[in-house]
Amino acid sequence: MKLFRRRRSDVIAEERLKFILVQDRSLLTPAEFERMKEDIIRVISNYFEINKSGIELNIQRENRKTILEATVPVISVKRSST
Amino acid sequence: MGRTIVVTAGKGGVGKTTITANLGASLSKLGRKVVLVDMDIGLRNLDVVMGLENRIVYNIMDIAEGRCKINQALVRDKRQSGLFLLPASQVHTKEDVDIDSIVSIISAIENSFDYVLLDSPAGIEKGFESAVAPSKEGLVVVTPDVSSVRDADRVIGLLENRGILGLSLVVNRYDVDLVNRKKMLNADSIVEILGLDLVGIVPEDKAVIDSTNRGEILVNYYANTIAARAFENVARRIEGENVPFVSLNSQNKGFMKFFRRGK
């Protein structure tokens, strides 16, 4: 006797597709993505003291538009003494 | 000036050619003047689906390379006087195509027709580029499976990059019974994932094979089949008519449905 019913395959297809398309739609390779992250950290660090480990970067496609979303936790503002 | 629409998919075998032929014939039935352009250079098939293979004299490569005038290459449909085929060459390859010549041929044709439908080959290589370059709008064909939807997503990205913004979606070979049994992706999920305007759901219909065997376009030959009606609705939606989608989750099988559950 089967304890668990087999899952609906239409739902499985949908989940697999969404996962595949996240990968297909990402426009940068993982290495490029890391480089971009480091570049962004470097530029923002000129102005803010930031928590580098708390940075989140996401590239998303919604309604056929690509959006880069960045969350950067700021600790304090850097004031230049000049 | 007519509307120039590329019918494309990325993946092969999803019904691009069948949809091109039936959409063209349906638009023609609505009184429009239509030319169907076979862009599958070297692997032409639109002529066979329309049953016009014995009437071809010249093809699009003959026009591009100066061996004939545009009018000499156009083949009139057997049944509809407002429907024409511009055949592909069977002896060239896609690499032989000069995209600029294709663009100028199509822009010359646009002036004398209401619709120019370009049947794109499978793939995203040069054949695809040749079909997309002259087009202003796109009709993306998808079947309800993971491979087809994935490839369609890729093609939609490429079409957008090339500035083709009027994109619409046809879900082809839809098996209502499988969808009702939750064993096939439903049209709503596909539309949500791909984010295009839906202009048609064409049910799987054995009459398509039968009419193709005969070299007859379905909407001309078996106009009362469910697929033919769906093709005609695609044409009316492309014309801008607001045609409601018939509920395909048919409730009319009554209580017998219970006994089929979980099969």
Side-chain angles (χ1 to χ4, degrees):
Chain A
M1 193 180 114
K2 261 190 277 177
L3 279 176
F4 297 102
R5 275 184 141 212
R6 267 197 290 181
R7 294 182 61 218
R8 288 165 49 175
S9 75
D10 60 340
V11 174
I12 295 173
E14 200 177 335
E15 288 171 358
R16 289 179 63 216
L17 252 174
K18 285 181 175 163
F19 189 76
I20 291 165
L21 292 184
V22 166
Q23 294 175 318
D24 284 0
R25 287 169 178 177
S26 70
L27 307 164
L28 300 178
T29 65
E32 288 170 329
F33 192 83
E34 276 311 303
R35 237 181 302 140
M36 177 184 71
K37 194 171 167 181
E38 281 161 26
D39 286 347
I40 289 174
I41 291 173
R42 195 159 32 76
V43 171
I44 294 179
S45 297
N46 291 336
Y47 304 92
F48 293 105
E49 193 82 47
I50 56 175
N51 173 11
K52 288 177 191 168
S53 60
I55 290 176
E56 282 175 36
L57 285 181
N58 286 307
I59 299 178
Q60 287 177 340
R61 274 166 67 97
E62 258 175 51
N63 294 322
R64 319 242 42 110
K65 283 199 176 92
T66 307
I67 293 165
L68 171 64
E69 196 180 57
T71 307
V72 184
V74 175
I75 298 167
S76 62
V77 185
K78 277 186 182 174
R79 293 278 177 218
S80 61
S81 50
T82 51
Chain B
M1 205 182 78
R3 291 169 66 182
T4 303
I5 306 173
V6 60
V7 180
T8 188
K11 190 177 178 296
V14 298
K16 289 181 292 295
T17 303
T18 303
I19 286 184
T20 305
N22 280 284
L23 175 57
S26 301
L27 288 166
S28 169
K29 277 182 162 184
L30 294 172
R32 304 295 166 209
K33 202 175 171 202
V34 184
V35 60
L36 309 181
V37 185
D38 191 345
M39 288 305 300
D40 204 346
I41 310 295
L43 289 169
R44 73 179 181 204
N45 270 320
L46 189 51
D47 55 334
V48 173
V49 170
M50 298 174 77
L52 299 175
E53 65 272 21
N54 293 326
R55 305 187 188 193
I56 295 175
V57 182
Y58 294 108
N59 59 63
I60 193 165
M61 290 299 282
D62 292 322
I63 305 172
E65 295 174 352
R67 284 183 292 274
C68 73
K69 298 204 175 85
I70 291 174
N71 282 341
Q72 292 175 287
L74 295 177
V75 185
R76 192 190 294 268
D77 183 56
K78 294 181 288 191
R79 292 172 184 271
Q80 292 192 46
S81 58
L83 180 63
F84 293 81
L85 167 69
L86 177 52
S89 160
Q90 190 69 339
V91 298
H92 291 81
T93 73
K94 291 167 185 72
E95 296 308 309
D96 298 327
V97 174
D98 174 48
I99 294 183
D100 289 342
S101 318
I102 302 295
V103 171
S104 53
I105 291 168
I106 300 302
S107 65
I109 291 178
E110 276 170 348
N111 297 319
S112 352
F113 287 89
D114 297 310
Y115 286 93
V116 181
L117 304 184
L118 292 102
D119 184 18
S120 154
I124 50 173
E125 295 81 21
K126 192 169 177 190
F128 170 78
E129 298 294 349
S130 318
V132 171
S135 303
K136 319 273 183 313
E137 298 171 64
L139 187 70
V140 177
V141 182
V142 72
T143 53
D145 60 89
V146 177
S147 311
S148 168
V149 176
R150 182 203 199 170
D151 290 359
D153 187 76
R154 179 96 172 90
V155 157
I156 292 165
L158 294 173
L159 290 167
E160 286 174 338
N161 287 342
R162 280 149 191 74
I164 300 195
L165 298 174
L167 293 177
S168 40
L169 185 73
V170 173
V171 180
N172 195 26
R173 310 195 64 174
Y174 200 64
D175 189 323
V176 180
D177 187 41
L178 273 185
V179 170
N180 285 340
R181 285 155 56 201
K182 316 288 186 200
K183 290 172 190 287
M184 179 178 262
L185 278 169
N186 69 55
D188 288 342
S189 309
I190 297 171
V191 171
E192 187 204 319
I193 287 169
L194 294 177
L196 295 189
D197 292 335
L198 183 68
V199 291
I201 302 172
V202 182
E204 176 83 62
D205 190 336
K206 294 182 173 73
V208 173
I209 293 175
D210 186 52
S211 70
T212 308
N213 288 343
R214 297 171 192 278
E216 297 282 355
I217 301 174
L218 188 75
V219 297
N220 284 344
Y221 198 71
Y222 294 123
N224 284 325
T225 55
I226 47 169
R229 291 209 198 107
F231 287 130
E232 291 188 345
N233 284 340
V234 174
R236 288 163 62 198
R237 290 189 191 101
I238 284 180
E239 281 273 275
E241 209 178 308
N242 183 13
V243 185
F245 284 89
V246 189
S247 173
L248 291 165
N249 300 327
S250 56
Q251 302 299 318
N252 55 8
K253 283 181 189 151
F255 74 100
M256 282 305 287
K257 266 203 311 183
F258 283 104
F259 301 109
R260 311 180 59 170
R261 207 185 268 168
K263 221 198 253 174

